[in-house]
Amino acid sequence: MRILADHADYSAVLKLAVRKAGLSDSLPYGVTGVWQCDEEQVYACAKSLLNRAKNMKKREDSADLWQMTRAVKTALIVSDSVGSATLTRKDGKIADWVTERFPRDDKDEKILTPVEIESKVITPRIKEIKQSKTDATVPDEFQQAAEDLGVQTSRVLMLAPCGIGKTLAAWMWIKGVLKHAKASRVLFLYPTRGTAVEGFRDYVSHAPESDASLLHGTAKYDLRHELHGIRYNPNDSLKNYEVDDRMAKLGYWNKRVFSATVHQFLAFMQQDYGSICLLPLLADSVVVVDEVHSFDSKMFSALVSFLHEFELPVLCMTASLTCHRRKELQEVGLKIYPQEEQKFAAFTQSAEILRYHTELITPQVASESSDETTIMVVEDEAYRVAAESLENGKRVLWVVNQVGRCQDLAQRFSGEFPEALCYHSRFRYKDRAVQHKRVVAAFKRSKSALSVPALAITTQVCEMSLDLDADVLISELAPIQSIIQRMGRCNRRAQDERSGSHKGQVVIYKPTGAKPYCENELKIAWEFVEKLTDMNEASQAHLECLLEEFSLHIPLDGAGWEAFIENYFWSEGGGSFMDEDGWNVSAVLKGDLSDYKALREACEPVDGLILSCPKFLSQPADKDVARAFHLPHYVRLAESAHYSPCWGLLDKPVGREVEII
């Protein structure tokens, strides 16, 4: 190791450090010339320090030391990022730039108040709800009580049925929390980009443009192209929700109200650099985490570890949760809302309406029939149910577990029912956004007495990202919580009708093969739906009772390893924040390369051209192509001949008849 100790920068930095430390300027310092260190001596010294650190790790009384170590380590990383940011040098002193973004004291105007949340978010959203539902009572008793709960406790697990108004209740809870807790930011964290976009559209966008932010991997594209009514307008600076790209995650430091994917803020648990740069915001926030049932084992472990290590107001919410996960969240201080003794009329009535009639399709074929023949017989029966329902003017949602089967069914229906919609993850992002809107529009109920049939064939992406109301749900067997989420997209209007006379038809059958799930999950789920079928008619309360019963048979989540907590002195990456199988990759169609290049050169977002596809349907770009079209190393190429805007990326070239459709 060679240190150029006689360099002017070395001398200047050392003088600054001496002055900041309060030491005498006359203190002798510095080494003239070139300082050379023996490698073996340096290694021996480092090894001695590491051994001391490992020994300290074993001491029970060193918990505070390790907590301080994490804080200092994070501060160093974040400070380095701030010091490197381009605009901080233009804006003057770094200290002033940072101070402008964080409150100095309890009276600082950057501290959020209940009045701000009420006037800037809650009231505008209530006005919208009342315009679309003229007979709605908003907020209702359940939502108003959430505000009182926020005054009493800052850690809550909200368990409430689909369509009951959990999001508004969460905002009421935030208002209550801010009556006694100091925070300068509100974070709504969602598991998917689609749900984050909806959260931004419905609530966060009401906040001033200078405060509101949408934060996920394709946020800039969504702001410019998808969020109509609040979309980006280059001629109106007040309607610009974006941040300066040169600032990276530091550009969000002046924002105060977020709708974001959970990965953006909690991935710091695996030493994600961008998420670490957002940690000063997270530590100064009131946090809501939605759809916690959908977290994979790594994400849920990180969430529990985060709640254990950090003291800040957090509300987790979902429609259903296994007893194991419920217990883990309670152990880190979350109180369940509503409690059994809390009886809210709208809440109870919604949960107890008999809204589902469930039936199973089982193969009625000879025992020597092949698995392929069996599944064809089952699918044919499900197809018959769908066709009859469409003839009767009903809206049908058919959910399968794999993209290939989704595409095959949609193409099969296209001859008799051309309006059939196909929705899954294997679209270009801009086409997926179009399909999403078409599906939502097709299932939207008008005030007209005329019934317009609709059919959407989707994969499990519908479980969270699609807000729709189907008359008939046909579904392949899936894990219990997935089945419950899918059923939440059926007969939602029963909540408004109150009579409960109408029943949503739920038809479930076994798929061919368990993937992407495991055999044991589906075995337990089949027992669950058999018991559900025996009831003939079921409510969401029945689903919760059955989930409680069958949770005992669902395997526990494995203990996770969170690098931020376990690495102590080090900042080595801890791997992915979520479970990944390496199956899907990001790709660009070969036919889109010119458009991709043009967008890159114009500094416009290219997300609309990106599609997620299986690795076997893509290939890496060679160096010349990557250089010519500005492709990063992780973006692969897919064949345009395999792609249709209606069906997405297919395993084989698109036929002429599909192109015509």
Side-chain angles (χ1 to χ4, degrees):
M1 180 170 64
R2 301 172 71 245
I3 298 178
L4 305 180
D6 56 353
H7 194 283
D9 286 351
Y10 180 91
S11 176
V13 170
L14 195 55
K15 286 181 180 179
L16 176 64
V18 168
R19 188 167 65 252
K20 289 287 187 181
L23 303 176
S24 171
D25 285 343
S26 62
L27 185 72
Y29 61 88
V31 181
T32 59
V34 177
W35 179 23
Q36 292 186 320
C37 301
D38 181 83
E39 184 177 346
E40 291 185 2
Q41 290 179 337
V42 173
Y43 178 77
C45 180
K47 187 175 181 180
S48 174
L49 289 171
L50 292 176
N51 286 334
R52 286 174 58 190
K54 290 176 181 177
N55 291 332
M56 291 170 64
K57 178 180 176 181
K58 297 176 182 178
R59 290 169 46 188
E60 294 182 359
D61 61 350
S62 62
D64 290 343
L65 172 63
W66 293 118
Q67 192 174 43
M68 179 60 71
T69 300
R70 297 185 197 110
V72 172
K73 177 177 66 175
T74 302
L76 285 170
I77 294 171
V78 174
S79 298
D80 178 68
S81 180
V82 171
S84 302
T86 304
L87 293 189
T88 59
R89 298 175 183 177
K90 294 181 180 179
D91 288 349
K93 294 182 179 180
I94 290 177
D96 293 340
W97 183 87
V98 173
T99 302
E100 289 174 1
R101 283 149 179 79
F102 293 92
R104 288 188 172 186
D105 52 51
D106 291 349
K107 296 182 180 179
D108 195 303
E109 63 180 11
K110 289 183 282 293
I111 296 288
L112 280 173
T113 66
V115 174
E116 283 185 280
I117 295 299
E118 172 72 31
S119 63
K120 296 178 180 179
V121 179
I122 296 176
T123 299
R125 180 54 182 159
I126 288 176
K127 184 178 179 181
E128 288 181 346
I129 294 173
K130 288 184 175 179
Q131 287 176 344
S132 61
K133 300 179 180 179
T134 54
D135 60 340
T137 303
V138 186
D140 61 20
E141 188 182 12
F142 165 68
Q143 293 158 340
Q144 289 174 339
E147 179 180 346
D148 297 333
L149 179 68
V151 176
Q152 300 165 17
T153 180
S154 58
R155 290 222 158 175
V156 176
L157 171 59
M158 186 187 296
L159 295 172
C162 296
I164 197 65
K166 291 191 293 292
T167 307
L168 179 55
W171 280 100
M172 299 293 288
W173 173 82
I174 291 168
K175 179 184 172 184
V177 168
L178 292 176
K179 291 180 179 179
H180 66 86
K182 296 292 187 292
S184 58
R185 291 172 176 86
V186 169
L187 311 180
F188 252 84
L189 306 183
Y190 297 91
T192 67
R193 291 176 297 179
T195 48
V197 168
E198 293 304 315
F200 180 84
R201 187 198 312 272
D202 292 342
Y203 288 89
V204 173
S205 63
H206 293 297
E209 292 82 356
S210 58
D211 291 343
S213 180
L214 174 65
L215 178 53
H216 61 69
T218 57
K220 179 175 285 190
Y221 179 86
D222 285 327
L223 287 168
R224 295 191 180 190
H225 300 282
E226 301 305 326
L227 290 166
H228 300 295
I230 53 173
R231 79 186 281 181
Y232 171 84
N233 182 351
N235 298 319
D236 183 1
S237 61
L238 293 178
K239 274 291 184 184
N240 188 353
Y241 297 96
E242 297 179 20
V243 300
D244 194 313
D245 288 338
R246 293 172 295 176
M247 298 290 288
K249 293 298 172 63
L250 299 181
Y252 292 95
W253 277 21
N254 65 321
K255 300 292 187 177
R256 299 203 298 162
V257 185
F258 288 82
S259 179
T261 49
V262 65
H263 177 275
Q264 295 293 331
F265 280 93
L266 294 192
F268 81 91
M269 297 295 287
Q270 297 298 353
Q271 305 284 29
D272 178 81
Y273 179 78
S275 184
I276 286 176
C277 289
L278 292 174
L279 193 49
L281 277 62
L282 177 63
D284 189 32
S285 298
V286 179
V287 182
V288 176
V289 187
D290 198 11
E291 306 282 12
V292 293
H293 75 277
S294 67
F295 287 20
D296 61 39
S297 57
K298 289 180 69 173
M299 291 174 65
F300 191 78
S301 175
L303 173 64
V304 172
S305 182
F306 163 72
L307 291 169
H308 182 267
E309 298 290 337
F310 285 76
E311 294 182 5
L312 71 167
V314 178
L315 180 148
C316 295
M317 60 183 185
T318 184
S320 60
L321 199 64
T322 62
C323 59
H324 308 305
R325 289 192 165 188
R326 189 184 310 173
K327 182 180 179 182
E328 285 191 71
L329 292 177
Q330 287 180 283
E331 288 175 349
V332 289
L334 273 66
K335 296 182 179 180
I336 293 179
Y337 175 73
Q339 296 286 344
E340 290 185 7
E341 63 271 14
Q342 292 177 298
K343 301 295 183 182
F344 303 115
F347 184 95
T348 303
Q349 192 169 14
S350 174
E352 294 180 354
I353 290 176
L354 296 173
R355 66 177 71 207
Y356 308 118
H357 170 74
T358 307
E359 56 190 82
L360 305 180
I361 298 180
T362 54
Q364 302 295 324
V365 295
S367 58
E368 64 270 13
S369 298
S370 67
D371 290 341
E372 185 176 348
T373 302
T374 299
I375 194 62
M376 286 179 62
V377 170
V378 170
E379 280 194 357
D380 284 344
E381 177 61 20
Y383 186 94
R384 183 193 63 77
V385 172
E388 288 184 358
S389 299
L390 292 170
E391 288 179 5
N392 293 325
K394 295 183 178 181
R395 296 166 173 81
V396 180
L397 174 64
W398 191 332
V399 189
V400 297
N401 300 337
Q402 292 188 353
V403 173
R405 293 201 290 270
C406 178
Q407 293 168 327
D408 290 343
L409 278 170
Q411 292 182 58
R412 181 181 177 186
F413 268 103
S414 62
E416 297 181 32
F417 194 76
E419 297 86 357
L421 297 169
C422 181
Y423 184 66
H424 51 75
S425 60
R426 208 188 293 176
F427 283 98
R428 288 183 302 187
Y429 190 67
K430 67 177 184 178
D431 295 331
R432 180 172 175 173
V434 171
Q435 290 298 92
H436 181 107
K437 293 173 185 174
R438 292 177 66 194
V439 172
V440 172
F443 282 75
K444 190 173 182 179
R445 297 187 179 277
S446 66
K447 296 180 181 179
S448 170
L450 296 175
S451 183
V452 180
L455 171 64
I457 302 166
T458 84
T459 58
Q460 49 270 53
V461 296
C462 76
E463 293 174 16
M464 288 175 291
S465 62
L466 283 179
D467 183 9
L468 51 81
D469 181 9
D471 300 301
V472 179
L473 169 69
I474 302 173
S475 174
E476 290 185 346
L477 186 65
I480 294 174
Q481 286 189 277
S482 291
I483 290 292
I484 292 175
Q485 287 297 121
R486 295 175 189 186
M487 292 176 70
R489 271 72 194 147
C490 180
N491 196 22
R492 293 167 76 98
R493 74 181 186 278
Q495 180 180 343
D496 299 321
E497 292 179 353
R498 305 298 183 194
S499 64
S501 58
H502 176 80
K503 303 296 182 297
Q505 184 180 4
V506 178
V507 178
I508 300 174
Y509 64 94
K510 289 182 179 179
T512 172
K515 291 182 179 180
Y517 308 113
C518 68
E519 293 284 355
N520 189 50
E521 281 183 305
L522 297 192
K523 180 181 178 182
I524 296 170
W526 188 252
E527 295 173 1
F528 170 86
V529 295
E530 281 185 322
K531 201 156 189 178
L532 188 61
T533 305
D534 291 341
M535 292 182 177
N536 188 35
E537 296 179 347
S539 65
Q540 291 185 331
H542 288 136
L543 297 182
E544 283 300 303
C545 289
L546 284 178
L547 175 62
E548 183 80 17
E549 176 184 341
F550 281 87
S551 288
L552 301 175
H553 305 290
I554 298 175
L556 295 171
D557 293 313
W561 186 84
E562 284 71 46
F564 182 84
I565 304 300
E566 304 296 337
N567 265 349
Y568 297 102
F569 286 111
W570 302 275
S571 295
E572 302 161 331
S576 173
F577 174 63
M578 59 189 70
D579 292 332
E580 292 182 343
D581 56 12
W583 179 254
N584 289 317
V585 295
S586 295
V588 172
L589 296 175
K590 291 180 179 179
D592 286 338
L593 281 174
S594 296
D595 291 340
Y596 182 93
K597 179 181 179 181
L599 289 170
R600 287 292 300 269
E601 291 178 343
C603 296
E604 290 290 320
V606 297
D607 306 292
L609 299 178
I610 300 295
L611 70 131
S612 175
C613 73
K615 187 176 288 187
F616 76 89
L617 286 177
S618 67
Q619 62 190 70
D622 62 49
K623 292 183 180 179
D624 292 337
V625 172
R627 189 180 303 111
F629 293 97
H630 310 307
L631 284 172
H633 67 90
Y634 57 85
V635 175
R636 295 165 68 96
L637 298 177
E639 296 293 340
S640 299
H642 286 241
Y643 189 80
S644 161
C646 293
W647 318 122
L649 190 69
L650 298 154
D651 291 356
K652 54 188 177 182
V654 180
R656 178 173 296 274
E657 67 280 1
V658 176
E659 289 186 21
I660 293 173
I661 293 169

